[in-house]
Every structure is written in structure tokens, then in C-alpha cells.
Amino acid sequence: MSRDRRNSYETKVFLELARRSVSGSWAYVLVVAATGLLTDYPTRYPEAYWLTAVAMAVAIAARFWVPRRLPRKFSGEPGLWRFRFRLAILGGPLVWGAFLALTNVLYGEDWVCALLVILTTGIAAGATTAFHPDLKLHRLFQFLLWLPVIVVALLGYGTGPALGFLGVIFVGYLLWQGEEQARHYWRAIRVRERLAEKTDQLEEHNRIKDEFLAVITHDLRNSIQSVILFSHNLKRRSHDPVLLELGGHLRESGNYMKELLDDLHDLARLGMQALKMKAEEVDLVSLVERVLAEQTQPASEGQIELKYQNRESHVNLVGDAVRIRQILANLVSNAIKYNKPGGWVEVRTRLEGEEAVVEVADSGVGIDPEHQARVFDLFSRVGNEPVDGSGLGLAITRQLVELHQGSLELESELDNGSVFRVRLPRNGPSALAS
Ligand code: ADP
């Protein structure tokens, strides 16, 4: 970990400690108040009690003040900030430990003393949970809390020896527990840090890959476009049947390659979040009619009947017309591709509340339930398709629908056809710029 990173990390940890220390401070306030209310300590020894209460109030005020003020004031000196923070935290145990020791000196075997012992052990245990990420702070906290008690024990006042013995055992246990917790805590932090670094690296690699893919597909598309043009020229100018046949193959392969490159290019731009979406008024009915008109030839080649069902006067929405057309074209061409001779494809449009709904239904080969969730994944093909494909179309379609903040549903039965249902918000996605 670099020095800067470590510093900012430790500052974060200290802010977390500051947050954790708040509940402990309230516990101190309650305990001092309860001692005042439940015992005769304030009336018998008013100086000692009020001195303790004031000292505790100062320590707690410092504990609240330091984390709030210092990070800003000493943002360039995190070390100094941490030092003062530790000091602010340590006021509490020092005062509290002295309070317990003094009570022991004054009351000896009194029940008040026993009550304070219980409260002190609670505070010590709570501090272990709260401050363990900073072992130094934790050790000092325990040391200052128990030091007066041990001194009184050594001097032999009241229950001092028993109390001192209890203190030593208990503090030993808390120190060991603090070490354990600190080890787990820092190990988890290191793992999280490494994961964050790896995620950053992976995101960067992914971005470079998308950029590379976008550039390469763009250039390849241009080259393949020239091949397609060349094959068209050949068709117009040549009368040689062999050349015409070769030109036909060239055009077919060229068109397939261009479609593939178009898909890969879209995919790369979607990955880079570089696909600019427009927000415009879209007339869904005329868009469907245009897509169906474009698909007449492949449909008639596959002996598929194209149908359109729409009972609304108009189905308008706000979105990107080019991308919605791409969504429809993908779904309709799939419905034709994965159909059977003599089958049908029906597009249905309707309004449902705030949504415009388009369904593309077909009488085709269908998809078994096992594969239905996966067909929207990249490069996913069911495996028994009668035609070639890349497995990119539905993945792109889903991303385009999601960019419109819509949803894409599938109902399908093997050998009995499929229905792909697209729901798009009529008011358009909030993120689209107009
Ligand atoms: P491609 O068509 O290039 O294979 P898609 O992403 O468009 O890629 O489709 C993924 C897979 O989903 C297809 O290979 C096919 O198995 C299945 N599929 C898509 N649409 C239909 C449909 N209308 N009927 C049956 N299967 C379909």
C-alpha cells in the first residue's frame, strides 16, 4: 500500500473509530448520572464526584470535538490528527479508572464499589469491540482504565487485592481478544483493498478491449462495405454466369459479415457506454410497419406469413427511433429465422398504462425452459438452430431495451413458438437527453 493510500485508509479507520466511540461516550454519561442518582457518593464526597463528572464531561467533549474538527484542520497531517484523536479517547478511561480506584479507597467493601467494578468491566469490554482496529489505542485504553485500580490493589485498600486480581485476568483476556479482532479486521481490509485494485484493473482492461473492438469493427466494416459494393458492380456489369455466381456468394458472405461487425460494434459501444441515445417522439405503429416491410423478402423465402395486430389509434412514445427499430428488427428477424415453413410471425402493439408494449409472436421452433434465461446472454445459442447466427442479437436487444428503461420478457414452448414482449415507458427514460 502506498504511503498516501495508507494515510487515507487510516484516516478512514479513525473516522470509523470516532463513530464507534459515540455510543461509549453516552454510556459514560449514563453511568456517571446513575452513580450520582443511585449512590450517596455525591453527598458524601461532593468534591470527588463533581471533579470526576467535570473531568469526564471534558474528556467526552474532546472525544466529540476532535473527530469533527481535526480531520479538516489537519488534513495534510493525518499523523498529528490521529495522535490527538488518541489523546481525546484516552481521557475517558483515565478518569473512570481513577473514579473506581477512589471509590474503592473511600468505600472499601461497599456495594457501590462492586457496582462500579461491574460497570468498569463492561466499559473495558465495550472498548475492545470499539477500538480493536487500533491496537495501540486499545492497549493504552485498557492500561489507563485499570492502572489506578491496580495501584490501589497493590496498596491493599478495601477489596483492592481481589479487584486487582480480577482486573489483571480480565485485561489479559481483553488484550488477547483485541489482538485477534485486529488481525481479522486488517486482513479483511487488505483483501478488500486487493479486490478493489483488481476490479479497477479489470474495468480498465475491459474498457481498452471495448475501445479496441469499436475501432477494429469500424475499420473492418468499411472494408467489407467495399467488398459488397464490388459484388454489386459485378452483378451490374458482368454477364459471365460463373462470375455472377461467385459475386452472389461474395455478396451473401459480405452481408453476413457486415451484420456481425455491426453487432460487435454496437456491443463495444454499449460496453463503453458510448451509444448516444436520442429522446424523440416515436410512432411505434409506423416503425413496426417499416420493419415488417423490410422483412417481407426473408419471410417469403422461408414461407412465413407476416401479420400485424394493433387496436389502438396510435402507439406513441419517447425514445430513440433508430434503436427501437433495431430492437424490432432483431426480434422479427429471429422470429422468421427460427420458424418452420408455412409458419407465421405476428407483431402486436398496445398501450398498457404508462407503457407501450410490443409483442413479437411466432409459430417457430420455440425454446425449452432450460435455455430460456440464457438466450439473452452474449454468444448464447440454444444449439439446435436450423440457421447460422452469432448469439449477439438478443444480448444487444436486451441492452437497448434497458437503456430505454424498459423490460424484455419471453414466453416460449419447445416446438410451439415463442413470444418476445418488450415494455417501454411512454414518457421515455429519465436519463435520455432531449
Ligand atoms: P443469433 O440469432 O445470432 O443466434 P440471438 O442472440 O438473436 O443470436 O439469439 C440467441 C439464440 O436464441 C438463438 O441462437 C436461438 O437459439 C434463440 N432464439 C432467438 N429468437 C428465437 C425465436 N424467436 N425462436 C426460437 N429461438 C430463438
Side-chain angles (χ1 to χ4, degrees):
M1 225 189 273
S2 74
R3 206 188 131 96
D4 276 358
R5 209 159 178 164
R6 184 155 194 104
N7 263 336
S8 86
Y9 225 88
E10 288 189 354
T11 302
K12 253 192 243 159
V13 171
F14 268 67
L15 283 174
E16 190 185 320
L17 292 188
R19 196 176 43 74
R20 291 182 190 189
S21 75
V22 171
S23 52
S25 305
W26 290 123
Y28 274 136
V29 171
L30 278 176
V31 164
V32 170
T35 311
L37 291 172
L38 299 175
T39 72
D40 59 355
Y41 198 95
T43 42
R44 278 170 67 184
Y45 305 100
E47 299 82 4
Y49 178 77
W50 290 112
L51 192 71
T52 310
V54 169
M56 192 65 91
V58 171
I60 289 171
R63 199 185 266 201
F64 275 98
W65 182 79
V66 170
R68 268 158 201 76
R69 286 294 304 277
L70 288 193
R72 243 174 295 140
K73 208 165 162 202
F74 297 101
S75 56
E77 297 166 280
L80 189 59
W81 179 79
R82 289 199 293 267
F83 174 69
R84 293 190 187 205
F85 173 79
R86 282 194 184 108
L87 280 189
I89 287 291
L90 294 174
L94 186 61
V95 178
W96 186 256
F99 184 52
L100 172 59
L102 192 63
T103 307
N104 194 52
V105 173
L106 298 175
Y107 288 94
E109 295 176 15
D110 205 309
W111 68 271
V112 175
C113 194
L115 179 70
L116 281 175
V117 172
I118 294 167
L119 293 174
T120 309
T121 48
I123 286 173
T128 305
T129 316
F131 301 129
H132 68 262
D134 181 8
L135 268 184
K136 221 187 288 172
L137 178 65
H138 170 57
R139 286 187 198 125
L140 275 170
F141 188 101
Q142 300 296 346
F143 177 72
L144 291 179
L145 182 65
W146 292 98
L147 177 71
V149 181
I150 307 277
V151 170
V152 165
L154 291 176
L155 295 176
Y157 282 100
T159 50
L163 187 55
F165 182 66
L166 174 92
V168 168
I169 298 205
F170 191 56
V171 169
Y173 166 71
L174 290 183
L175 290 179
W176 169 77
Q177 204 191 29
E179 302 257 350
E180 280 292 291
Q181 289 186 2
R183 209 150 35 86
H184 288 303
Y185 181 88
W186 286 108
R187 192 187 298 149
I189 296 278
R190 276 197 300 276
V191 169
R192 210 165 62 189
E193 178 83 357
R194 273 207 297 275
L195 268 179
E197 269 172 28
K198 277 270 172 273
T199 310
D200 286 353
Q201 275 174 10
L202 283 175
E203 274 171 5
E204 178 62 8
H205 288 166
N206 205 28
R207 194 187 57 73
I208 293 171
K209 181 216 73 191
D210 281 337
E211 263 177 34
F212 170 75
L213 198 62
V215 170
I216 203 96
T217 47
H218 181 263
D219 290 356
L220 283 172
R221 259 187 342 176
N222 288 346
S223 317
I224 211 73
Q225 192 64 42
S226 315
V227 173
I228 295 170
L229 272 178
F230 169 71
S231 74
H232 277 292
N233 277 338
L234 202 68
K235 189 178 170 191
R236 250 185 284 128
R237 294 184 186 187
S238 170
H239 300 289
D240 180 341
V242 178
L243 276 184
L244 281 177
E245 196 190 330
L246 283 177
H249 289 317
L250 209 60
R251 205 163 41 250
E252 213 173 280
S253 304
N255 282 332
Y256 174 68
M257 240 155 119
K258 185 167 174 301
E259 271 171 31
L260 189 64
L261 289 169
D262 281 344
D263 280 352
L264 283 171
H265 190 69
D266 281 347
L267 207 64
R269 299 198 350 123
L270 279 165
M272 289 157 65
Q273 284 158 8
L275 213 60
K276 294 271 175 296
M277 302 276 286
K278 282 196 211 137
E280 53 199 336
E281 190 73 19
V282 178
D283 174 359
L284 204 57
V285 175
S286 63
L287 217 54
V288 170
E289 283 167 352
R290 272 185 3 235
V291 169
L292 288 178
E294 282 162 11
Q295 300 286 340
T296 321
Q297 202 197 335
S300 65
E301 281 170 9
Q303 299 161 42
I304 311 291
E305 185 192 357
L306 290 182
K307 302 189 268 187
Y308 181 28
Q309 192 196 91
N310 173 48
R311 295 205 186 93
E312 315 275 350
S313 53
H314 52 257
V315 185
N316 284 16
L317 73 143
V318 176
D320 187 311
V322 173
R323 297 303 169 185
I324 295 179
R325 188 175 163 168
Q326 192 177 351
I327 293 170
L328 293 173
N330 271 344
L331 294 179
V332 173
S333 82
N334 272 355
I336 295 169
K337 267 189 340 191
Y338 302 111
N339 218 314
K340 304 166 194 163
W344 51 262
V345 171
E346 182 170 83
V347 182
R348 303 163 194 152
T349 45
R350 62 175 182 273
L351 294 173
E352 260 182 37
E354 289 306 300
E355 290 176 334
V357 182
V358 193
E359 279 178 4
V360 180
D362 64 61
S363 61
V365 295
I367 306 166
D368 62 296
E370 193 194 329
H371 286 106
Q372 284 179 18
R374 281 203 282 122
V375 291
F376 299 105
D377 293 345
L378 270 181
F379 307 110
S380 167
R381 307 205 73 216
V382 172
N384 55 355
E385 298 86 353
V387 285
D388 286 342
S390 59
L392 296 176
L394 283 181
I396 293 172
T397 302
R398 184 173 63 175
Q399 291 195 45
L400 291 177
V401 171
E402 281 170 1
L403 276 181
H404 280 87
Q405 284 171 9
S407 61
L408 181 57
E409 298 156 11
L410 165 64
E411 281 166 23
S412 187
E413 207 181 307
L414 199 59
D415 289 330
N416 253 337
S418 315
V419 180
F420 285 85
R421 188 175 304 108
V422 181
R423 296 176 179 279
L424 298 171
R426 285 165 70 187
N427 291 332
S430 44
L432 281 195
S434 23

